[in-house]
Amino acid sequence: MYSGEDLNEHSGNLSLSSATPKDITQELILWNQVCQGLLNLYNLNKDVEAMVKKTNKYHERIFMKPELLSPKVAKKLIESYSRVIEKATKEQREINKTEANLEILISLQNAFDTDLNNKGIEHTQKKRKMDKYANSSKSKSHGNKQYKPLSPGNLVVVKPPGQDWLLATVIQYFPDKNKYEVEDIEDDEDKPGVKKHYIFPVKCVLEIPNEDNKRPYFPIGHEVLSLYPNSSCFYKATVIKTPNENKNSSDGKPAYIVQFEDDDEAEREVPENRVLDMPPKMKLKEDK
């Protein structure tokens, strides 16, 4: 393991040697955050070890001479336990944060490797493709300079491999890769207090519109992707009543009545801004 000095030197060398004439890349920023996290962990670990050592000395003295366990000594022991728990909690939080940054780095690197593999085509084919886009009179919604990325904090719906569609928040947009980093709206089941991060291409991110005039209107019988009540997951559903027909919504705001698949034909009310059009072709491959 690095010492504190080694980590500082390693982080500094990384910043200088990896820098390019352009702005510092997102990967470099994350690497520096990881190095800083490891340095913080090193210092926290030293503090915890010192506190545990001091507490153990109290235990040894009391074990040898039980009469030393006075109310004053007991109070000092409790205070020592509290400090150890506080430092250990900070240490765990730092571990979780550093681990999350490493997961993002791995996702970015995997995405970069995939991009390189996808670019392994002949120069003439790439040129024809570029010419086709350059001469096209219709600009595509993604992948050109006219695309306006979503802002950090925007709510979106994504489908991680092997999982349900879920509600997430935009963390940042990578223009060089045309991808988003998003954060699950819910905590990780295995790590309370930590939210999972994912990297998705633009075409795999469904925006939840903020403005009323951007929301599409779905007629009765239309298949939609709808938030299941009291959850953060989206499932296929069919519109039973539109907001115009559902005059008496539970909170007085526009809401659809929908019927989810495999839900015993129950009719459920869902806020208008949590009902999206079902993407017919946007299906991420499930884990094999």
Side-chain angles (χ1 to χ4, degrees):
M1 183 170 182
Y2 289 117
S3 67
E5 293 78 6
D6 290 336
L7 284 170
N8 277 329
E9 182 180 353
H10 181 67
S11 178
N13 288 342
L14 180 63
S15 299
L16 293 173
S17 63
S18 301
T20 66
K22 299 180 180 179
D23 293 337
I24 297 177
T25 62
Q26 181 62 22
E27 288 90 341
L28 179 60
I29 295 172
L30 285 168
W31 269 120
N32 282 329
Q33 289 176 353
V34 168
C35 290
Q36 184 60 51
L38 291 173
L39 177 60
N40 293 341
L41 280 171
Y42 172 79
N43 291 328
L44 283 167
N45 186 260
K46 283 203 307 183
D47 292 344
V48 171
E49 283 184 356
M51 289 179 179
V52 170
K53 188 175 181 181
K54 184 177 180 181
T55 303
N56 285 338
K57 284 184 178 180
Y58 277 118
H59 291 163
E60 290 173 3
R61 291 173 185 171
I62 294 170
F63 180 78
M64 298 299 294
K65 295 183 179 180
E67 63 272 15
L68 293 177
L69 185 57
S70 64
K72 185 177 180 180
V73 172
K75 184 180 179 181
K76 285 185 177 180
L77 273 173
I78 293 172
E79 290 174 351
S80 180
Y81 295 154
S82 298
R83 286 193 294 270
V84 170
I85 291 171
E86 181 184 358
K87 287 288 184 181
T89 302
K90 287 182 179 179
E91 189 176 23
Q92 185 60 54
R93 278 201 293 261
E94 197 66 49
I95 290 172
N96 292 340
K97 186 171 71 173
T98 302
E99 184 181 13
N101 282 336
L102 283 170
E103 287 177 355
I104 296 171
L105 276 170
I106 292 170
S107 296
L108 283 173
Q109 188 58 52
N110 289 341
F112 177 73
D113 291 342
T114 300
D115 287 343
L116 287 179
N117 291 334
N118 291 338
K119 289 175 182 176
I121 58 177
E122 295 181 2
H123 177 72
T124 53
Q125 289 176 316
K126 291 191 288 184
K127 187 175 186 302
R128 283 199 297 270
K129 191 174 182 180
M130 293 300 294
D131 290 343
K132 178 181 175 182
Y133 285 128
N135 296 330
S136 175
S137 58
K138 294 182 179 181
S139 63
K140 296 194 174 184
S141 59
H142 302 306
N144 60 23
K145 293 182 180 179
Q146 296 181 1
Y147 174 63
K148 184 179 180 182
L150 302 176
S151 301
N154 269 66
L155 289 175
V156 294
V157 180
V158 294
K159 189 180 187 305
Q163 299 184 40
D164 296 320
W165 294 88
L166 56 84
L167 189 63
T169 304
V170 171
I171 299 299
Q172 57 189 321
Y173 172 65
F174 302 110
D176 55 331
K177 296 179 176 65
N178 203 30
K179 299 178 189 292
Y180 282 104
E181 176 194 347
V182 301
E183 180 183 73
D184 193 340
I185 207 77
E186 299 281 354
D187 285 357
D188 187 342
E189 292 181 359
D190 300 325
K191 300 175 183 177
V194 177
K195 299 180 188 294
K196 283 188 176 180
H197 285 224
Y198 303 95
I199 303 294
F200 282 99
V202 168
K203 65 181 180 180
C204 295
V205 176
L206 301 180
E207 176 187 4
I208 292 184
N210 289 324
E211 302 173 15
D212 292 338
N213 60 359
K214 286 185 178 180
R215 293 175 188 163
Y217 190 82
F218 306 118
I220 293 175
H222 191 81
E223 287 189 344
V224 293
L225 192 64
S226 176
L227 179 71
Y228 194 84
N230 301 316
S231 81
S232 61
C233 293
F234 284 69
Y235 300 97
K236 183 179 179 180
T238 303
V239 174
I240 303 300
K241 284 185 181 180
T242 66
N244 288 343
E245 295 164 321
N246 182 30
K247 300 294 184 181
N248 299 316
S249 63
S250 58
D251 59 2
K253 296 180 180 180
Y256 283 92
I257 300 295
V258 302
Q259 195 173 82
F260 291 93
E261 285 188 333
D262 303 321
D263 195 28
D264 298 327
E265 298 185 355
E267 296 183 359
R268 303 188 184 276
E269 185 178 271
V270 181
E272 181 184 33
N273 65 347
R274 295 295 184 268
V275 177
L276 306 177
D277 199 11
M278 172 62 71
K281 297 181 180 179
M282 192 187 303
K283 295 181 180 179
L284 298 180
K285 292 181 179 180
E286 298 290 329
D287 289 338
K288 294 183 179 181

